[in-house]
């Protein structure tokens, strides 16, 4: 079975620009969560998608938005980029409900200059 | 305040020695997940614990969850250079569908 795939692996954006990050979930997983990990910190929950709808959101502003597609892949969009948005963005897929593990992708390293 | 506290923040061990790292939750959790991360890379799943008092082992790594489901430890026996990295604990809590993470334990193994 394939794991979680994220693209791109790295990118550099200018403050004020918009960015789209992509994630393909593991086979059999229909729930996708996005996390932001700043340097030296643990991952922080951004939001989760289940059946193409947002299913929980962390403490992030509305300029962080997402989509989930019928094939369970997902996108994270960030508008009006700020310097503090520089981080590793991680996608995790899982089966719905408690008790199932979360499989993480390798992440996208975003640098905002 | 941080829901999950990991200790020690970092430790250096000599190859072949044992080590233990800890993860403490401020409230009862339904599931505790241990992940390993190399610098700047994704999270590699190690183990998931759900039952109070549960203990799981894989190769030289053993993880335990206390009876109250608020504290977990991860023990590595006879550490090797391949054990170096950042160990993250993540917890699922009743009533929400996210994982909360600690800041991680950085492990360095020296020859």
């Amino acid at each position: 079975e394939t794991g979680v795939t994220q693209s791109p692996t790295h990118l550099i954006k200018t403050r004020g620009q918009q960015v789209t990050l992509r994630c393909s979930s593991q086979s059999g997983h229909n729930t996708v969560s996005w996390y932001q990990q700043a340097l030296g910190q643990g991952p922080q929950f951004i939001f989760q998608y289940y059946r193409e709808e947002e299913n929980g959101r962390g403490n992030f502003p509305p300029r962080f938005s997402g989509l989930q597609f019928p094939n369970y892949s997902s996108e994270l969009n960030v508008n009006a980029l700020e310097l503090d948005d520089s981080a590793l963005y991680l996608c995790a897929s899982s089966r719905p409900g408690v008790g199932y593990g979360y499989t993480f992708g390798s992440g996208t390293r975003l640098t905002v200059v | 305040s941080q829901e999950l506290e990991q200790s020690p923040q970092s430790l250096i061990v000599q190859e072949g020695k044992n080590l233990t790292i800890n993860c403490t939750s401020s409230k009862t959790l339904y599931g505790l997940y241990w992940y390993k991360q190399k610098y700047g890379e994704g999270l590699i799943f190690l183990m998931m614990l759900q039952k109070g008092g549960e203990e799981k082992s894989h190769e030289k790594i053993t993880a335990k969850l206390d009876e109250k489901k608020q504290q977990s430890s991860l023990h590595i026996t006879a550490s090797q250079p391949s054990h170096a990295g950042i160990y993250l604990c993540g917890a699922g809590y009743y009533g929400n569908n996210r994982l909360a993470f600690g800041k991680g334990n950085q492990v360095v193994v020296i020859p």
Side-chain angles (χ1 to χ4, degrees):
Chain A
E1 64 184 16
T2 58
V4 175
T5 304
Q6 291 187 242
S7 64
T9 55
H10 298 82
L11 75 165
I12 300 173
K13 289 286 189 178
T14 303
R15 189 171 49 182
Q17 285 187 313
Q18 178 265 344
V19 69
T20 298
L21 311 182
R22 294 178 175 83
C23 171
S24 295
S25 60
Q26 181 170 316
S27 176
H29 289 184
N30 56 12
T31 300
V32 174
S33 303
W34 286 91
Y35 291 80
Q36 181 197 65
Q37 186 179 24
L39 201 60
Q41 302 295 316
Q44 297 293 315
F45 176 73
I46 302 175
F47 44 55
Q48 182 183 90
Y49 276 83
Y50 171 61
R51 290 187 175 178
E52 302 177 53
E53 291 194 2
E54 188 177 288
N55 184 39
R57 188 179 183 92
N59 189 26
F60 281 82
R63 59 189 185 85
F64 285 77
S65 63
L67 284 173
Q68 186 181 31
F69 301 100
N71 66 354
Y72 307 131
S73 66
S74 177
E75 287 182 354
L76 164 66
N77 299 290
V78 187
N79 294 322
L81 284 167
E82 300 177 359
L83 297 179
D84 284 349
D85 295 333
S86 297
L88 180 68
Y89 288 84
L90 295 161
C91 169
S93 72
S94 63
R95 292 189 176 95
V98 304
Y100 294 103
Y102 293 75
T103 303
F104 281 80
S106 298
T108 294
R109 170 70 63 186
L110 172 65
T111 302
V112 182
V113 298
Chain B
S1 62
Q2 193 79 14
E3 287 175 296
L4 287 176
E5 296 285 344
Q6 292 189 243
S7 63
Q9 185 176 356
S10 64
L11 73 163
I12 301 172
V13 295
Q14 194 166 20
E15 185 176 352
K17 298 293 186 183
N18 302 338
L19 69 95
T20 300
I21 53 181
N22 300 291
C23 175
T24 302
S25 172
S26 58
K27 53 187 179 181
T28 301
L29 47 85
Y30 80 68
L32 191 288
Y33 304 77
W34 281 102
Y35 291 89
K36 181 184 174 185
Q37 184 178 34
K38 292 286 190 182
Y39 177 77
E41 299 181 5
L43 277 59
I44 300 169
F45 174 75
L46 297 175
M47 272 173 275
M48 177 178 73
L49 304 166
Q50 278 191 280
K51 299 178 182 177
E54 186 175 12
E55 178 176 319
K56 287 186 177 179
S57 293
H58 178 67
E59 296 180 345
K60 294 186 177 182
I61 301 176
T62 300
K64 301 178 185 179
L65 182 62
D66 74 332
E67 291 289 343
K68 291 185 178 180
K69 296 175 66 175
Q70 285 189 257
Q71 192 162 26
S72 178
S73 62
L74 188 139
H75 181 80
I76 298 176
T77 303
S79 59
Q80 300 170 353
S82 61
H83 290 125
I86 300 169
Y87 290 81
L88 288 160
C89 69
Y93 295 98
Y94 297 101
N96 69 57
N97 53 4
R98 64 180 177 92
L99 282 185
F101 283 92
K103 291 185 178 181
N105 306 92
Q106 183 172 24
V107 172
V108 176
V109 180
I110 57 174

